[in-house]
Amino acid sequence: MGKISALQVLGLANRANELVLGYDQVLSSIQKNKVKLVLVASDASNKTKDTFSKKCFFYKIEILEVFTSEELSQALGRKVKIVGIKDQGFGELIKKRIEVK
């Protein structure tokens, strides 16, 4: 089996029910310390990016802006700009796959 991309890992995490999707849900999960990694679409508004970067900094959660909302939406089968990953293993694998690019 060939290498799988970070977006494919994201799709697997979604099917494993290890993602939190959407602005309010991810924000709430950050405050409850339920997510290990947050992905914000690179084309999200500056206000959204700022909000999540401050929250993630405060709660010491890693945040990445590497995918567009179109890439995230295509990987997950629905429109989305903010994704929270609940599982540490999926988070690590996604970060590893991004570095491989």
Side-chain angles (χ1 to χ4, degrees), residues 26-67:
V26 175
L27 210 50
S28 170
S29 295
I30 289 170
Q31 292 165 336
K32 294 174 185 167
N33 248 340
K34 289 188 174 184
V35 291
K36 310 295 183 210
L37 175 67
V38 173
L39 301 176
V40 177
S42 55
D43 54 350
S45 73
N46 288 335
K47 184 178 179 201
T48 297
K49 290 179 187 178
D50 189 52
T51 298
F52 280 93
S53 105
K54 286 178 180 172
K55 283 286 181 196
C56 287
F57 176 79
F58 182 80
Y59 287 97
K60 295 176 177 54
I61 296 170
E62 192 169 355
I63 182 171
L64 298 174
E65 283 180 35
V66 288
F67 303 113

Side-chain angles (χ1 to χ4, degrees), residues 9-100:
V9 173
L10 200 57
L12 289 172
N14 189 36
R15 287 191 286 286
N17 205 23
E18 292 296 337
L19 300 183
V20 181
L21 305 174
Y23 190 100
D24 293 333
Q25 291 83 349
V26 175
L27 210 50
S28 170
S29 295
I30 289 170
Q31 292 165 336
K32 294 174 185 167
N33 248 340
K34 289 188 174 184
V35 291
K36 310 295 183 210
L37 175 67
V38 173
L39 301 176
V40 177
S42 55
D43 54 350
S45 73
N46 288 335
K47 184 178 179 201
T48 297
K49 290 179 187 178
D50 189 52
T51 298
F52 280 93
S53 105
K54 286 178 180 172
K55 283 286 181 196
C56 287
F57 176 79
F58 182 80
Y59 287 97
K60 295 176 177 54
I61 296 170
E62 192 169 355
I63 182 171
L64 298 174
E65 283 180 35
V66 288
F67 303 113
T68 63
S69 57
E70 187 177 319
E71 290 171 319
L72 290 172
S73 299
Q74 195 167 7
L76 301 173
R78 63 176 268 205
K79 265 191 171 280
V80 66
K81 288 185 188 265
I82 313 289
V83 178
I85 292 110
K86 298 187 279 187
D87 180 75
Q88 186 74 41
F90 276 121
E92 294 298 323
L93 191 55
I94 288 167
K95 288 189 295 188
K96 195 172 167 183
R97 295 292 177 210
I98 289 168
E99 291 166 12
V100 168

